[in-house]
Amino acid sequence: SEIIRLEEVWKIYGKPPSETIALGGVSLTVRKGEFFAIVGPSGSGKTTMLHLIGGLDRPTRGKIYVDGTELTAIRSDSELSRYRNKTVGFVFQLFYLIPRLNVLENVELPLVKRGMPKAERRRLALEALRTVGIEMLAYKYPTQLSGGEQQRVAIARAIVGSPRVLLADEPTGNLDAANSQIVMDLFKRLNRELGMTIIMVTHNLELIWNCDRVARMYSGKLLGIYTPEKYSELI
Ligand code: ADP
Ligand code: ADP
């Protein structure tokens, strides 16, 4: 069964004559529980697609459905914000932790936005930290952590509210090989053990072997969707 559907999605930045067609009519579906990769050269529209699915931005044309809700029918920003907070979790190349907050407080943030009582927030944040294997860092501050540890904090923050979909934009882009492997193993566990649907943008082709299917973008168009095996034969 499907969890995400894009129907003829366009995203055009700017106005003629200096417009950029970031997405030029993309249609695809992602299945529930799938580990889905989006690949393609720089500027091909990968991040734009992830942002539209995550409700960080709205398409110029077309429809997007996530978990039974038509995202593109949501008109108010506050409702879109509620969607982001509840349905999706984001992980980025730069970790975007808040330096003045300790690890536990960073992980609690999405729950603070939901108005959850403190004791319950604490419990869920500690559980998320345990899931990513860094419970012992709960009272450290982001600047005291390595890049790999910071990314695991960011992943804990992304999953603390039990989102249906995890969206990751070049999650290993700032990590060395060993930490990239830790993050990928973690994603595979979240995917297999917790059934989390994961959509990951990457240009590291070694990472696609962790995924179920690979969407290939070029110049704002979806060229095709492949298994990792088929994709590796193409290139
Ligand atoms: P990718 O993630 O594959 O590198 P992006 O989705 O970031 O590609 O960008 C697709 C195209 O849209 C690029 O040409 C980029 O310059 C353009 N673009 C992205 N964001 C904006 C923006 N906020 N304003 C104008 N153009 C943008
Ligand atoms: P609110 O709208 O209630 O202030 P946000 O939408 O900012 O809440 O936060 C929801 C999620 O979206 C957070 O996990 C945050 O990391 C992410 N987010 C919000 N804005 C951006 C942005 N411009 N770029 C990347 N991620 C963002």
Side-chain angles (χ1 to χ4, degrees), residues 71-118:
L71 202 53
T72 36
I74 297 177
R75 294 281 162 240
S76 81
D77 287 345
S78 62
E79 204 187 324
L80 198 59
S81 169
R82 212 164 26 247
Y83 159 81
R84 283 196 297 269
N85 185 268
K86 222 185 76 204
T87 310
V88 296
F90 294 95
V91 177
F92 301 98
Q93 177 170 4
L94 304 170
F95 321 116
Y96 297 130
L97 301 177
I98 306 213
R100 288 176 180 284
L101 300 181
N102 70 29
V103 164
L104 194 59
E105 291 162 341
N106 267 281
V107 174
E108 281 180 37
L109 270 182
L111 307 179
V112 173
K113 286 193 183 179
R114 290 186 192 185
M116 187 181 286
K118 187 168 179 150

Side-chain angles (χ1 to χ4, degrees), residues 28-182:
L28 62 78
T29 66
V30 176
R31 300 172 193 137
K32 246 174 219 162
E34 198 167 23
F35 190 170
F36 193 89
I38 304 172
V39 304
S42 182
S44 59
K46 305 182 299 296
T47 294
T48 299
M49 189 145 89
L50 208 68
H51 282 189
L52 295 181
I53 294 169
L56 291 172
D57 203 354
R58 297 170 188 275
T60 310
R61 286 205 291 283
K63 290 183 175 180
I64 300 174
Y65 298 85
V66 180
D67 201 20
T69 301
E70 189 194 339
L71 202 53
T72 36
I74 297 177
R75 294 281 162 240
S76 81
D77 287 345
S78 62
E79 204 187 324
L80 198 59
S81 169
R82 212 164 26 247
Y83 159 81
R84 283 196 297 269
N85 185 268
K86 222 185 76 204
T87 310
V88 296
F90 294 95
V91 177
F92 301 98
Q93 177 170 4
L94 304 170
F95 321 116
Y96 297 130
L97 301 177
I98 306 213
R100 288 176 180 284
L101 300 181
N102 70 29
V103 164
L104 194 59
E105 291 162 341
N106 267 281
V107 174
E108 281 180 37
L109 270 182
L111 307 179
V112 173
K113 286 193 183 179
R114 290 186 192 185
M116 187 181 286
K118 187 168 179 150
E120 198 179 348
R121 276 184 351 230
R122 266 300 100 137
R123 183 178 67 75
L124 290 176
L126 282 169
E127 191 182 314
L129 286 172
R130 207 172 307 128
T131 300
V132 304
I134 53 166
E135 219 183 342
M136 61 291 188
L137 300 178
Y139 296 98
K140 298 264 188 202
Y141 283 81
T143 52
Q144 299 175 291
L145 307 182
S146 72
E149 290 167 340
Q150 288 185 55
Q151 190 61 306
R152 283 197 273 170
V153 176
I155 294 168
R157 182 182 57 187
I159 64 170
V160 73
S162 305
R164 303 302 309 276
V165 182
L166 183 66
L167 301 173
D169 196 349
E170 298 281 5
T172 64
N174 262 313
L175 302 179
D176 60 22
N179 278 303
S180 298
Q181 192 55 53
I182 289 172

